[in-house]
Amino acid sequence: MSSNHPVRVIAVTGGKGGVGKTNVSVNLSLALAALRRRVVLMDADLGLANVDVLLGLDVKYSIADVLDGSRSLREVLVNGPGGIKVVPASSGVQQLVQLSNHEHAALIHAFSDISDQLDVLVVDTAAGISDMVVNFVRASQEVLVVVCDEPSSITDAYALMKLLNTEHGVSRFRVIANMTRSAKEGRMLFEKLNTVCERFLDATMSYLGHVPFDENVRKSVQARKPLLETAPNSKAALAVKELAKKVDEWPLPGGPRGHLEFFIERLLASSSADTLV
Ligand SMILES: Nc1ncnc2c1ncn2[C@@H]1O[C@H](COP(=O)(O)OP(=O)(O)O)[C@@H](O)[C@H]1O
Ligand SMILES: [Mg+2]
C-alpha cells in the first residue's frame, strides 16, 4: 500500500487573515504545475474566501465523504485551473482532529491511493492559531509563512511561529513578504522577524522572497480566476513564478518523512497525542 514516491508537503500559513495566504497557495500551486509538477492543493480553511470560492470551482464532494467511506479521494478531487487538483474545504477537515479508528484507516488509505500521482501537496491553512492550523502545519515538511508589512501581521506571524516552535518542535520556517512596495521592503520585513526569532526561538528562518502589491491580484479574486491566468505577466505573477522555481529546488526529504502517508499519520497522530497528555 505504501509507495516510495516522495511528495513535497508545504503548509501555507501566517497567523493573520487577509495577508494573502490563499492567493499565494493557489498561484504557487499553478506555478509549480507549470514546472511540470503534479500538484494537489488542499483547502484547510473553512472560512469564506477559500480556494473553491477564489477559483469558482464546482464542488460536489468533500473529505467528509471520504471519511464515511462513500467516496474515494480521487472522486473528491476537483480539477482546478492549470492542471492542479483541489481537495475542497469542508467541515470534514475539522473532523480530522477526532477520527475513529475506522475513519483514520480510511483516510490513510485514501491518501496512499493518490500518493504516486502527485509531487507536491500545498495546504492552505486558516487564519489564527487554532489546533487545526497547528496540526496541519506541524505535519508538513515545509512551512511557508506569509507576512505583510503591518504590525498586526508581524505580531501574529511571530505568535504562530513561537507556538509552533516552543510547543510543537517546528524548527524551520520559510517566509514570503506579500504586498510589498519594493524588494527592499520585503527584505527588511524578513529581517525584522528574523531578529526576533533568532533571539527568542530555537528555529531557523529563511527568506523565500516577496510578492509585490499588485492590483491585478484583487481583480483576479473578483473574477474568481487565478492571477497566473488572468495576468500571467503582472508583477505579482512573475514574482510568484520566481518563488515557485526556488521551492522546486528545495531538497526533498528522504526516507519516510518524504512520503504522503507520513503527513497523514502525523496529522492524525498529533491531534490524538494532545488529548492523551
Ligand atoms: N500581492 C497582492 N497585491 C495586492 N493585493 C493582494 C495581494 N495579495 C493579496 N491581496 C489582496 O488581499 C486579499 C486577501 O488575500 P487572501 O489570499 O484571501 O488572504 P488570506 O488567505 O491570508 O486571508 C485578496 O482578496 C486580495 O485582494
Ligand atoms: Mg485564505
Side-chain angles (χ1 to χ4, degrees), residues 45 77 138 169 205 215 259:
D45 183 4
L77 288 174
R138 69 179 180 183
M205 267 178 64
E215 270 300 318
H259 297 164

Side-chain angles (χ1 to χ4, degrees), residues 1-274:
M1 163 171 134
S2 160
S3 91
N4 286 318
H5 173 67
V7 176
R8 206 191 278 292
V9 182
I10 307 168
V12 179
T13 192
K16 192 175 179 296
V19 293
K21 296 179 294 297
T22 303
N23 275 281
V24 165
S25 302
V26 164
N27 291 296
L28 192 62
S29 295
L30 262 90
L32 287 165
L35 295 173
R36 303 187 149 266
R37 300 297 169 194
R38 296 166 300 172
V39 183
V40 172
L41 170 55
M42 183 169 183
D43 189 352
D45 183 4
L46 301 173
L48 292 174
N50 51 16
V51 173
D52 53 283
V53 176
L54 216 85
L55 295 178
L57 298 178
D58 186 14
V59 170
K60 288 203 189 75
Y61 308 114
S62 74
I63 285 281
D65 300 296
V66 176
L67 295 179
D68 72 16
S70 61
R71 296 285 153 192
S72 70
L73 191 53
R74 284 171 211 260
E75 291 171 296
V76 169
L77 288 174
V78 182
N79 288 323
I84 68 165
K85 294 197 187 311
V86 177
V87 184
S90 73
S91 52
V93 168
Q94 213 143 31
Q95 244 170 283
L96 293 178
V97 293
Q98 42 187 342
L99 297 184
S100 68
N101 285 341
H102 179 76
E103 290 170 327
H104 185 131
L107 198 71
I108 303 260
H109 186 268
F111 275 89
S112 307
D113 187 38
I114 64 156
S115 71
D116 57 355
Q117 292 157 41
L118 80 157
D119 303 308
V120 187
L121 177 68
V122 176
V123 183
D124 179 25
T125 70
I129 48 177
S130 64
D131 288 350
M132 200 170 76
V133 170
V134 168
N135 281 343
F136 274 106
V137 171
R138 69 179 180 183
S140 302
Q141 302 145 7
E142 300 287 353
V143 185
L144 251 183
V145 180
V146 181
V147 281
C148 55
D149 200 2
E150 283 171 26
S152 57
S153 169
I154 298 171
T155 48
D156 285 11
Y158 177 69
L160 175 67
M161 287 191 281
K162 185 177 172 198
L163 177 76
L164 288 165
N165 179 239
T166 58
E167 307 282 322
H168 305 284
V170 178
S171 61
R172 192 179 60 196
F173 301 96
R174 318 255 196 185
V175 175
I176 291 184
N178 188 27
M179 304 193 222
T180 54
R181 276 152 298 184
S182 67
K184 190 168 165 229
E185 183 194 287
R187 173 59 74 174
M188 279 168 63
L189 178 53
F190 168 75
E191 293 302 341
K192 234 185 263 181
L193 258 180
N194 194 32
T195 306
V196 194
C197 285
E198 274 183 344
R199 188 188 275 183
F200 299 109
L201 305 183
D202 185 17
T204 338
M205 267 178 64
S206 47
Y207 185 48
L208 183 62
H210 74 116
V211 179
F213 183 90
D214 187 335
E215 270 300 318
N216 290 296
V217 179
R218 195 180 45 79
K219 287 186 198 150
S220 76
V221 171
Q222 275 171 352
R224 299 179 111 198
K225 292 205 170 85
L227 174 77
L228 258 64
E229 289 196 343
T230 57
N233 296 315
S234 60
K235 278 187 303 179
L238 295 176
V240 171
K241 289 181 208 177
E242 283 308 310
L243 302 185
K245 279 188 210 156
K246 289 199 203 168
V247 168
D248 202 46
E249 280 163 12
W250 290 344
L252 270 168
R257 236 197 121 71
H259 297 164
L260 196 56
E261 289 91 339
F262 185 87
F263 167 70
I264 297 297
E265 293 274 14
R266 208 158 140 71
L267 183 62
L268 303 175
S270 54
S271 40
S272 48
D274 281 344

